[in-house]
Amino acid sequence: MAEVAERVASTARRPPNVLWISTHDINPDVGPYAGIWPGAEYAHTPSLDALAAAGAVYELAFASAPVCAPSRSAILTGCHPTAIGTIHMRTKAAPPPEVRLFTEYFRAAGYYTTNNVFTDFQVQTPPTAFDECSTSAHWRDRPDPDMPFFAMFHSSITHEAKLYLDDEAFAEASTAVPVGHRHDPTAAPLPPYYPDTETFRSTWARYADLITQMDAWAGALLRELEEDGLADDTIVVFWSDHGVGMPRAKRWLREAGLRVPLIVRWPSAVEPSSRPELVHLLDLAPTMLTACGIPVPPHMHGRPFLDATGAPLEPNDCTFGARSRIDEQEDDSLTVRDARFRYIRHAHPDRSPMQHSEYPDRFSTWRQLRELAFADAVSVAGGSTERRLDDAQRSTFAPGRPAEQLFDLSADPHELHDLSSDPAYAADLDRLRGALDAWASRYAPEWPIDEAALIESWRPEGRIQRTAEPEITVVDGVLSAVCRTPGASIGWTVQEPGVPRVLSDVEVATGAPEDDGRRWNLYASPFRSHGADPVRFRAWRLGFAPSDEVVVQDDHSDADRTEGAS
């Protein structure tokens, strides 16, 4: 961390600010992708249209996993979830010691970092990750208006659960879309793997309504940036964590599960463009560090796709993705995608692509697919040839699938025709097999991953390991801190403990940071003590319990440990 601080301090120019605007559960179904992604022109997105008109639209951007927490763990660490233990949904991981939430590198470099407010990163978020992590976190709260900021805002407006609200609740969730401007279900551009029913059409129209609602929210943030005179000094990035929350999309290693919108507006005058290179969302962390003159740590798996001037760097040849356990669904698959083909490898080809899953099986689209499949089965058993679903629609919940699948996305964008057994594509199949083998040998060498063994390695016999307390030395009033736990981050504060806030079940499940009302500074290098106030230190290692608190007394010579301090 000291190296980061020194590097940025020596940078002559003022580093740019960074604003991330993220949403849940959408494909590139926004206006800037019209002509790039089928049906993107359906949703009304004036704010994102304007953002793209002054920036770059990445045509081929992909999540590392088709579900939120594993995907976001990749984005916030710059690492493949298969390699750091975050691929299983809502596991509480203890990643390798070198792995940190990358915002700490921004804090160490003097940035004011905020998160409003989602923390579903597969780890308990340490207080060292952000200056402020709350529903009110904002760049406007930084102590010095000249201080550069890294601010993240996450919207849940487009989350799959919102698609299936009752009519009254849905109207309240989409107030930015006037009744006369609601998307027409009869015009919904349904993908062909969905049955053409009122249920699917109305759900797709609601999906577009929520995108428009989210667009209004994003537009408000962009206006605030303009009002503060910061638009010309700020890199703006818009992204979604994975694809739409409907069958054969979210939770599937398909284009509809992994392909996402990614729009980047540079602070300086850069020509608007549509960028064809392949991008992983986990490339965002090293790209933002590079753009702001902060060294990219060598353990990161992502690679920057822009330099500090906004110029493109060498692109990826392929992107990779994986899925493992999602809720109670036990499945393990890997995929590689180049500019034309997607190859998928299933560890359990005998398992249905649409296993029972308690959470989404409540939703109307999932229920209707199963009902139509049941009706078809009864009809066929009775001797009828009439069916309500075609082959592509039935394949979503088939009893099994091939161990390998290959799709030519240039000719077959909806991945309806598996070419894995077609001799004409044998060379492409072998090439992508080899690419996935090489990637897996490095980032998923023991695939499929035994989650129970992984958890036991993190928490032997169910015991959470504790981070060692920081060791403080004081020389001439200058405080230095180290921690014996590899990978630990150290925080310090002069505030006394308050009353810990009780986290909700959702906050606990999604890794919200502990909160006793104190703001913790990230320890990046030795510093001079602050007046007569005692300085309190604590250490956090991802996946471990935090350390006890160490208090350096007024005379800066005695270090006392406060057992169990929060």
Side-chain angles (χ1 to χ4, degrees):
M1 290 298 177
E3 177 192 353
V4 173
E6 291 170 6
R7 165 80 175 269
V8 173
S10 66
T11 304
R13 66 177 181 85
R14 184 184 184 279
N17 307 309
V18 180
L19 170 60
W20 276 14
I21 302 174
S22 91
T23 194
H24 282 72
D25 300 12
I26 72 168
N27 293 115
D29 288 302
V30 294
Y33 284 84
I36 298 171
W37 177 257
E41 67 283 349
Y42 181 56
H44 182 59
T45 55
S47 301
L48 295 179
D49 294 349
L51 180 68
V57 174
Y58 285 84
E59 299 177 11
L60 298 174
F62 297 91
S64 294
V67 70
C68 56
S71 172
R72 288 174 183 265
S73 76
I75 297 165
L76 267 289
T77 64
C79 297
H80 291 291
T82 54
I84 63 171
T86 58
I87 191 59
H88 304 95
M89 179 64 172
R90 296 270 161 76
T91 195
K92 280 293 176 283
E98 66 273 14
V99 175
R100 303 171 187 266
L101 299 186
F102 85 100
T103 52
E104 287 193 0
Y105 299 106
F106 275 91
R107 286 197 80 184
Y111 274 70
Y112 182 74
T113 67
T114 63
N115 182 45
N116 187 328
V117 62
F118 204 64
T119 54
D120 208 0
F121 309 143
Q122 297 280 63
V123 295
Q124 192 75 26
T125 303
T128 51
F130 302 102
D131 288 277
E132 180 68 26
C133 182
S134 71
T135 55
S136 61
H138 201 289
W139 69 76
R140 288 176 170 173
D141 296 324
R142 63 197 192 279
D144 179 351
D146 292 327
M147 189 178 189
F149 64 81
F150 183 101
M152 295 197 295
F153 290 83
H154 306 284
S155 166
S156 63
I157 293 168
T158 53
H159 189 271
E160 66 180 333
K162 303 289 180 66
L163 296 171
Y164 306 101
L165 295 170
D166 62 50
D167 289 345
E168 182 179 352
F170 185 80
E172 292 176 1
S174 53
T175 54
V177 189
V179 174
H181 290 82
R182 298 276 167 175
H183 294 83
D184 180 5
T186 65
L190 279 182
Y193 42 79
Y194 293 146
D196 190 351
T197 67
E198 181 180 352
T199 293
F200 274 87
R201 286 196 168 276
S202 62
T203 302
W204 200 269
R206 281 185 162 205
Y207 171 53
D209 285 347
L210 293 175
I211 288 175
T212 298
Q213 178 78 21
M214 178 275 298
D215 182 85
W217 165 81
L221 288 171
L222 293 170
R223 284 193 298 276
E224 289 178 354
L225 201 66
E226 293 278 358
E227 291 166 2
D228 293 354
L230 296 169
D232 293 337
D233 303 311
T234 304
I235 301 168
V236 179
V237 185
F238 170 79
W239 51 270
S240 173
D241 54 359
H242 51 71
V244 58
M246 292 178 67
R248 202 183 179 274
K250 181 177 180 178
R251 303 175 181 85
W252 270 259
L253 289 184
R254 297 294 191 98
E255 289 290 285
L258 295 174
R259 193 161 166 185
V260 294
L262 175 61
I263 303 170
V264 180
R265 187 180 75 188
W266 206 254
S268 56
V270 174
E271 287 294 318
S273 62
S274 186
R275 303 296 312 172
E277 54 260 42
L278 292 156
V279 175
H280 289 105
L281 286 188
L282 64 81
D283 293 333
L284 283 173
T287 299
M288 295 299 101
L289 292 171
T290 299
C292 296
I294 303 171
V296 177
H299 73 268
M300 281 190 178
H301 306 149
R303 58 193 295 180
F305 55 84
L306 295 171
D307 67 15
T309 70
L313 297 173
E314 182 180 357
N316 295 300
D317 295 324
C318 298
T319 60
F320 299 87
R323 68 146 290 170
S324 193
R325 180 190 57 75
I326 298 177
D327 299 330
E328 77 275 31
Q329 287 186 341
E330 296 282 354
D331 206 357
D332 300 278
S333 302
L334 301 174
T335 187
V336 56
R337 207 261 201 210
D338 67 8
R340 178 177 172 184
F341 294 95
R342 178 173 297 285
Y343 168 73
I344 309 171
R345 180 181 298 166
H346 301 291
H348 310 292
D350 58 317
R351 299 178 186 176
S352 172
M354 191 170 166
Q355 301 173 48
H356 171 75
S357 185
E358 188 66 22
Y359 179 69
D361 267 325
R362 301 177 296 171
F363 298 147
S364 58
T365 53
W366 288 63
R367 288 200 314 270
Q368 186 172 76
L369 264 185
R370 296 198 190 280
E371 290 165 0
L372 293 175
F374 174 76
D376 278 358
V378 171
S379 177
V380 170
S384 172
T385 59
E386 181 180 351
R387 293 192 174 189
R388 296 160 179 80
L389 299 175
D390 63 26
D391 289 345
Q393 293 156 5
R394 280 194 299 275
S395 69
T396 298
F397 47 82
R401 61 269 163 107
E404 297 179 298
Q405 294 175 297
L406 180 71
F407 300 98
D408 181 353
L409 300 166
S410 61
D412 178 25
H414 294 293
E415 299 162 297
L416 303 179
H417 307 291
D418 179 11
L419 305 173
S420 59
S421 60
D422 188 333
Y425 295 89
D428 298 299
L429 183 66
D430 285 344
R431 174 173 53 82
L432 291 174
R433 274 179 185 155
L436 188 60
D437 287 342
W439 177 86
S441 68
R442 182 174 181 184
Y443 298 115
E446 298 182 6
W447 187 262
I449 298 167
D450 185 334
E451 185 180 13
L454 196 60
I455 291 173
E456 177 64 20
S457 72
W458 296 332
R459 297 181 281 277
E461 299 181 351
R463 296 191 303 272
I464 298 176
Q465 301 179 74
R466 180 171 289 278
T467 311
E469 61 193 47
E471 299 173 10
I472 314 301
T473 59
V474 184
V475 178
D476 296 330
V478 174
L479 283 66
S480 300
V482 296
C483 180
R484 294 185 182 275
T485 300
S489 297
I490 301 172
W492 64 271
T493 184
V494 295
Q495 296 175 295
E496 294 185 2
V499 177
R501 183 173 68 85
V502 178
L503 300 181
S504 68
D505 291 342
V506 171
E507 288 175 312
V508 171
T510 56
E514 58 189 55
D515 181 9
D516 67 356
R518 292 187 288 179
R519 176 184 178 275
W520 288 89
N521 301 283
L522 174 68
Y523 175 81
S525 59
F527 64 92
R528 187 164 293 279
S529 61
H530 289 56
D533 294 324
V535 182
R536 300 168 181 272
F537 290 84
R538 206 172 184 189
W540 288 265
R541 156 81 190 271
L542 295 182
F544 284 41
S547 75
D548 290 327
E549 193 166 298
V550 175
V551 182
V552 177
Q553 299 294 343
D554 295 356
D555 61 5
H556 311 300
S557 61
D558 297 324
D560 294 335
R561 180 164 50 89
T562 301
E563 297 286 354
S566 59

